[in-house]
Amino acid sequence: GAGFAASSIVGRIVLCGWKICSEECKHPNASYQPAIVSAVLNKRIPFHDDLLLTKWYCGNNGIDRWRVIEYRLAQAMSNVLLFDALDVLGRAGEAARLSGVEF
């Protein structure tokens, strides 16, 4: 109905990871994950567009699906390493404690 969000997550705290990372790392291309990973972690990760990933996943009877899974796992690990390097969760928890919110 009107006034309701598109999704509702009850009892969980949701952090907008890319907004936090882009504010922490002042990079001219803050919306591009490989650029942020390179600037913060000094590590290079590849970028493949969704069309190529779909081609790998669906084509060739699924033989190349491992490439897509490996790529997405590398992206997820990069996000975890970024959160750790920027101490996002520690500072969010401290801010929550200061304001009296249970985190």
Side-chain angles (χ1 to χ4, degrees), residues 43-64:
K43 176 180 152 186
R44 304 288 300 195
I45 62 169
F47 174 77
H48 303 299
D49 65 346
D50 290 334
L51 186 62
L52 179 62
L53 293 173
T54 302
K55 182 179 174 184
W56 284 346
Y57 193 82
C58 296
N60 214 1
N61 291 330
I63 292 173
D64 292 328

Side-chain angles (χ1 to χ4, degrees), residues 25-28 33-44 82:
C25 176
K26 299 298 181 193
H27 193 277
Q33 183 186 17
I36 298 295
V37 170
S38 176
V40 174
L41 301 176
N42 295 323
K43 176 180 152 186
R44 304 288 300 195
L82 277 173

Side-chain angles (χ1 to χ4, degrees), residues 1 9 19 22 26 31 38 40-41 50-51 61 64 66-67 69 73 78 85-86 88 96:
I9 302 173
K19 184 173 181 179
S22 68
K26 299 298 181 193
S31 64
S38 176
V40 174
L41 301 176
D50 290 334
L51 186 62
N61 291 330
D64 292 328
W66 65 271
R67 295 173 86 178
I69 294 168
L73 283 173
S78 296
L86 298 173
V88 170

